[in-house]
Amino acid sequence: MIQLVKGTKDIMGAEVKLWQDIEKRMRTICETFGIGEIRTPAFEFTELFVRGVGETTDIVQKEMYTFTDDGNRSLTLRPEGTAGVARAYIEHGMHNQAQPTKLYYISPTFRCENTQAGRQRQFHQFGVEILGSYSAAQDAESISVATALLDEMGIEGVELRINSLGCPDCRAEYNRTLKEFIGANLDKLCPTCKERFEKNPLRVLDCKETGCQAIIANAPSVLDCLDEECTAHFQKVQDILTEMEIPFTVDPKIVRGLDYYTRTVFEFVANGLTVCGGGRYDKLIEECGGKPTGAVGFGLGIERLVMILERQNGAIVNEPKRDIYIGSMGQAGHIKAQGMTLALRKQGILADCDTVERGVKAQMKYANKIGARYSAIIGDGELESGIISLKEMESGEKEDVSLTDFVAIVAEKCK
Ligand code: ATP
Ligand code: MG
């Protein structure tokens, strides 16, 4: 038997209902915030992610699913959503529309990572990208979308942590300071961090090794390296969040996993799991070949959201509910039942009938199993008399209904 690939999952049964509910809320919230949907392809030219995510990131260095197509071009399955949206923004000249451009997506995302709790190789991200504004107001608005969703889902104990990495000048200044500090402790760092130290010292702050964590704890704060403008920008983000009554803590250790972030970065942590991460990326559009464009966004992991909800609310149970089951006996009855079932379905009634040729007793057992509110059985007798008995399953009460009015009467009762 061929099994599913490690790090992937079938989403089904009761869980899929929860997914549908989550997705519906995401779409409703985006509509409220004036954010339109975008569906970009699942794969792009590898170069887009190398440039857009950053050569020194874990994603590009070891987590991408990359393959060569028949034209010998290197393609990569989307490891995150922002680069594809940035490409589409440029490609379709969206900067010509009234700004900002506000987009969201709900898409499968692929990373070749070691699988563990909360870490899959195919997972799903709800992402929001707002392009065409440098203002702190846009950072706060973007954060408020994620907050609205987590609030509405009733996630308890979520913590919002924010930081600013400053503009490229501040970042360069901080990189120098950090390099000095790390250089003095280099022998105590893990092998990966020794490499990171050369190419991108900021990444060391993101290391999950306990040894590195201990060193990083005393590292200088990026906030001390911010210039006046970047400090004011970060302060404004905080002022708006406070006005919006969105609680947060400033954590100067947050750098996030992607290279393109400038100024504000943030994450939402619940139950020790990072459920959402995002930030401002003012250089990305230029990096991908567009005009300089301020932008901010986030990615929220749906599997992690589901995990937190299950931990919080227990396993999901799904009680089936159908309006009516139309049982049947004999060839003519079968045919009539299926016709009436479709007539009801066209009116939005959750109707079912026999399609596996069960006996009548087994059909009624099945009607119970699917949680049908009403049932009826149609056979030669009913066809002849033109009268059919409609039964309310819970009370057992029966009512004679004319066959010609059956669909209209059932539709009326079930609406
Ligand atoms: P982490 O530090 O946990 O590896 P990250 O920095 O790689 O996270 P992002 O690239 O910011 O995460 O992705 C945004 C969100 O997507 C994460 O907060 C998380 O909820 C989710 N996510 C990321 N990688 C995975 C994965 N392998 N499996 C499931 N969800 C994931
Ligand atoms: Mg990661």
Side-chain angles (χ1 to χ4, degrees), residues 231-264:
T231 305
H233 191 277
F234 190 43
Q235 188 56 51
K236 190 168 174 196
V237 174
Q238 296 176 60
D239 291 346
I240 301 171
L241 289 177
T242 305
E243 178 63 27
M244 287 172 149
E245 297 180 7
I246 295 175
F248 63 89
T249 52
V250 173
D251 181 350
K253 294 287 168 347
I254 291 177
V255 295
R256 304 297 316 143
L258 314 174
D259 263 0
Y260 50 58
Y261 287 129
T262 48
R263 291 193 164 165
T264 317

Side-chain angles (χ1 to χ4, degrees), residues 58-59 63 111 113 119 206 208 256-257 304:
D58 283 354
I59 292 181
E63 296 173 0
R111 292 186 196 172
E113 299 202 65
R119 208 168 281 289
D206 213 22
K208 279 142 194 143
R256 304 297 316 143
R304 298 222 180 144

Side-chain angles (χ1 to χ4, degrees), residues 133-412:
S133 169
Y134 289 94
S135 170
Q138 207 60 80
D139 306 40
E141 189 184 58
S142 157
I143 289 171
S144 73
V145 179
T147 309
L149 179 78
L150 296 170
D151 273 358
E152 196 175 311
M153 296 304 308
I155 303 282
E156 290 156 12
V158 199
E159 211 188 300
L160 166 63
R161 298 176 189 159
I162 64 171
N163 188 25
S164 176
L165 303 177
C167 63
D169 289 346
C170 301
R171 227 174 131 149
E173 165 74 15
Y174 183 57
N175 268 330
R176 275 194 294 278
T177 314
L178 194 60
K179 236 174 155 166
E180 238 167 71
F181 169 82
I182 297 172
N185 297 283
L186 202 58
D187 50 327
K188 297 179 203 116
L189 295 180
C190 75
T192 321
C193 277
K194 283 180 183 145
E195 267 172 51
R196 287 176 177 141
F197 167 74
E198 282 307 326
K199 288 192 190 144
N200 191 350
L202 213 59
R203 287 269 74 75
V204 175
L205 294 185
D206 213 22
C207 186
K208 279 142 194 143
E209 297 281 328
T210 35
C212 298
Q213 287 280 335
I215 308 286
I216 296 158
N218 301 311
S221 164
V222 62
L223 297 174
D224 294 331
C225 292
L226 298 191
D227 61 23
E228 216 173 298
E229 258 182 82
C230 290
T231 305
H233 191 277
F234 190 43
Q235 188 56 51
K236 190 168 174 196
V237 174
Q238 296 176 60
D239 291 346
I240 301 171
L241 289 177
T242 305
E243 178 63 27
M244 287 172 149
E245 297 180 7
I246 295 175
F248 63 89
T249 52
V250 173
D251 181 350
K253 294 287 168 347
I254 291 177
V255 295
R256 304 297 316 143
L258 314 174
D259 263 0
Y260 50 58
Y261 287 129
T262 48
R263 291 193 164 165
T264 317
V265 284
F266 57 89
E267 59 186 33
F268 288 84
V269 181
N271 276 305
L273 274 179
T274 306
V275 63
C276 174
R280 176 164 279 287
Y281 49 92
D282 292 341
K283 295 289 157 194
L284 180 66
I285 302 294
E286 257 174 289
E287 186 61 41
C288 296
K291 296 200 171 88
T293 306
V296 57
F298 66 78
L300 185 149
I302 306 183
E303 280 80 358
R304 298 222 180 144
L305 186 61
V306 168
M307 262 177 85
I308 294 165
L309 282 169
E310 281 176 350
R311 273 187 207 170
Q312 202 179 293
N313 306 340
I316 316 143
V317 278
N318 182 25
E319 298 277 345
K321 273 270 157 290
R322 304 294 294 167
D323 290 326
I324 183 162
Y325 181 86
I326 308 176
S328 53
M329 242 185 320
Q331 186 83 337
H334 276 315
I335 292 169
K336 186 74 184 166
Q338 196 155 0
M340 291 197 301
T341 300
L342 181 62
L344 283 165
R345 285 175 175 171
K346 280 185 176 166
Q347 298 195 46
I349 305 303
L350 316 183
D352 268 310
C353 62
D354 176 57
T355 50
V356 294
E357 304 187 5
R358 288 187 175 96
V360 173
K361 229 173 127 186
Q363 287 183 30
M364 286 306 116
K365 232 171 136 180
Y366 180 75
N368 258 315
K369 214 176 207 165
I370 61 170
R373 193 172 146 209
Y374 293 99
S375 72
I377 299 168
I378 180 158
D380 291 343
E382 284 75 16
L383 286 167
E384 217 163 277
S385 66
I387 302 287
I388 185 168
S389 171
L390 181 66
K391 178 176 166 188
E392 185 166 27
M393 298 287 276
E394 208 182 286
S395 62
E397 263 170 48
K398 287 182 180 170
E399 176 187 345
D400 279 347
V401 174
S402 120
L403 205 50
T404 27
D405 299 338
F406 182 79
V407 167
I409 288 170
V410 172
E412 191 51 44

